[in-house]
Amino acid sequence: MGHHDEHENEHQDDHDRDTHAHDHDKHDHLHPHEHHDHVHDHELGHEHDHDHGHSENPVIHWLQHLFTPHSHGHQQAALDPNLATDRGMWALKISLAGLLVTAIFQVVIVIISGSVALLADTIHNFSDALTAIPLGLAFWLSRRSRNKRYTYGYGRAEDIAGVIIVLMIAFSAGEAIYQSILRFIEPRPISNLGWVAAAAIIGFIGNEMVAVFRIRVGKEIGSAALIADGYHARTDGFTSLAVLAGAIGVWLGFPLLDPIIGLGIGIAILGIVWKSAQDMWHRMMDAVDPEIYEEFKHVASHVNGVMDVHSAAVRWVGHRLWGEMHITVDCNLTVLQGHFITEEVRHALFHEFPALVEVVVHADPCECDSSIEYHPTSHHQYLQAAD
């Protein structure tokens, strides 16, 4: 084959890739009504389940909804990746403002009270607020289009930001433990216990609201980093309640309870570091929930003409999904008929997984004719013979 032919083939490959990307875009724009109807029906059913049995007591319903954020078997991100990114940025801005207000209020109380437990909790609050910075930069970077160097886009920056968040949480844990040990060595009196208690309560409420918000949006857009940050905020809220317990202990005449609680907070943060590190390790290693993988194969296997699904793979790149699979079709079909089946599989997958940005589907013929060598060992010789 000459150089000119190779150049034409490369040009055709680029054209095919652009065409498939365009087809995906057309899928996004041609089927908005179908997608919204699907999500709407699902959400209606979900809300109905939540409301059942609690319609007579709205307070209990609100508390249940607060501590069990809205979640589906797989994320329900918008079809438009930019819309999902914008939603993540919006969640970061709102939660950052809430955590900063909470932390600044606690700083004032630390100064007038000298509580090391509240200091540890305040340090953690500031650390939690600052984690929005690298995550926000990653969301901003993920908006950039794919190119010849970054062929999968810039979504992996979000996972790198998650690693930075884990390191920042680990630092806050070390600082909290250090300050608590220092207070054991050099005890200091604690004053204004009422203010300490008030700050602890405010800290719990502020962090729990941020946690619910971040987790919910993180699940909607499929962001592991944002979900981890949400659980971090939730644990920080419960450590604020531990500060309240420490203040009560000091009020009852047990002053050492304050640094003990501060030390316990530091250890609790280490637990969050371990859990968050596991989640980010899974993302960096292209791991997905087995439920997503099974659903990925299940959807494809129920498309007309698909005899089998194998060699399936799916992974997250930031908050977007990429997938590939092989399907088996009737060997008597024409190339065009096989192509139509693969396109139906792609359509079904894009519809079922809103965060799916691209999926490659390869059609294999069923091996029903024993006279045909379906997997020749000498591929080039086979192709030359066919020519």
Side-chain angles (χ1 to χ4, degrees):
M1 183 179 290
H3 176 74
H4 179 69
D5 293 335
E6 291 178 358
H7 177 73
E8 286 186 347
N9 288 340
E10 290 177 359
H11 178 75
Q12 183 62 35
D13 288 342
D14 291 340
H15 173 74
D16 291 343
R17 281 191 294 269
D18 292 340
T19 301
H20 278 289
H22 181 67
D23 288 344
H24 188 184
D25 292 339
K26 285 194 296 182
H27 168 84
D28 294 349
H29 295 290
L30 291 177
H31 302 282
H33 182 71
E34 291 179 16
H35 170 71
H36 290 308
D37 287 346
H38 172 76
V39 176
H40 178 69
D41 293 342
H42 195 159
E43 289 176 351
L44 282 178
H46 188 83
E47 290 173 1
H48 175 75
D49 293 341
H50 274 276
D51 291 338
H52 181 67
H54 299 291
S55 58
E56 296 181 359
N57 195 326
V59 176
I60 294 178
H61 172 62
W62 177 80
L63 288 173
Q64 183 188 44
H65 191 64
L66 181 68
F67 288 97
T68 55
H70 184 84
S71 173
H72 293 283
H74 56 80
Q75 57 83 42
Q76 294 290 331
L79 283 173
D80 184 356
N82 290 326
L83 187 61
T85 302
D86 289 343
R87 185 161 174 77
M89 291 287 289
W90 171 68
L92 286 176
K93 291 176 183 178
I94 298 297
S95 59
L96 175 62
L99 286 175
L100 284 178
V101 170
T102 301
I104 291 172
F105 177 77
Q106 287 183 321
V107 165
V108 176
I109 305 304
V110 167
I111 294 174
I112 66 176
S113 67
S115 169
V116 68
L118 185 58
L119 175 62
D121 190 41
T122 304
I123 292 172
H124 194 197
N125 272 334
F126 270 113
S127 175
D128 195 17
L130 292 176
T131 55
I133 296 176
L135 194 51
L137 289 174
F139 278 136
W140 172 78
L141 190 61
S142 68
R143 290 176 173 173
R144 301 186 63 179
S145 302
R146 289 184 280 166
N147 53 50
K148 293 181 179 180
R149 181 176 294 275
Y150 297 96
T151 56
Y152 283 92
Y154 294 81
R156 189 65 75 191
E158 185 181 328
D159 301 325
I160 296 174
V163 174
I164 296 174
I165 288 171
V166 172
L167 294 176
M168 293 177 70
I169 300 172
F171 173 78
S172 69
E175 183 65 19
I177 293 173
Y178 171 76
Q179 291 292 338
S180 298
I181 294 174
L182 198 64
R183 188 56 60 92
F184 273 115
I185 299 173
E186 300 177 2
R188 296 178 185 176
I190 298 177
S191 57
N192 297 298
L193 291 179
W195 281 107
V196 173
I201 294 172
I202 293 296
F204 168 73
I205 295 174
N207 277 283
E208 180 56 27
M209 291 177 66
V210 167
V212 170
F213 189 53
R214 283 182 175 176
I215 293 171
R216 182 175 299 161
V217 176
K219 288 183 177 181
E220 287 175 353
I221 69 173
S223 173
L226 189 56
I227 292 172
D229 221 12
Y231 282 118
H232 172 210
R234 170 162 291 168
T235 302
D236 195 30
F238 285 108
T239 57
S240 294
L241 291 184
V243 172
L244 176 62
I248 294 174
V250 173
W251 178 67
L252 294 175
F254 300 100
L256 282 180
L257 192 59
D258 182 62
I260 291 174
I261 293 296
L263 187 62
I265 289 174
I267 295 173
I269 299 173
L270 286 178
I272 292 299
V273 170
W274 174 250
K275 176 64 170 63
S276 299
Q278 285 182 313
D279 292 340
M280 295 318 306
W281 167 261
H282 290 156
R283 279 301 174 97
M284 298 299 289
M285 292 299 293
D286 291 334
V288 296
D289 292 335
E291 292 181 1
I292 292 180
Y293 175 76
E294 292 298 333
E295 183 70 9
F296 190 65
K297 293 182 63 178
H298 175 79
V299 170
S301 67
H302 281 69
V303 173
N304 287 334
V306 175
M307 302 172 66
D308 182 48
V309 177
H310 57 282
S311 301
V314 61
R315 65 174 174 172
W316 289 100
V317 179
H319 56 274
R320 309 303 290 171
L321 277 172
W322 293 75
E324 58 187 73
M325 66 170 56
H326 285 228
I327 62 172
T328 302
V329 299
D330 190 337
C331 63
N332 294 312
L333 297 177
T334 65
V335 172
L336 183 59
Q337 289 172 324
H339 169 74
F340 285 155
I341 294 175
T342 61
E343 286 301 299
E344 277 301 311
V345 170
R346 281 167 49 84
H347 174 88
L349 290 171
F350 284 134
H351 182 75
E352 185 67 22
F353 295 90
L356 188 63
V357 67
E358 185 55 276
V359 58
V360 177
V361 182
H362 176 80
D364 292 326
C366 63
E367 301 178 10
C368 57
D369 190 341
S370 59
S371 65
I372 298 178
E373 187 179 1
Y374 291 93
H375 304 284
T377 55
S378 302
H379 290 79
H380 295 291
Q381 294 178 4
Y382 177 82
L383 291 175
Q384 289 174 1
D387 292 337

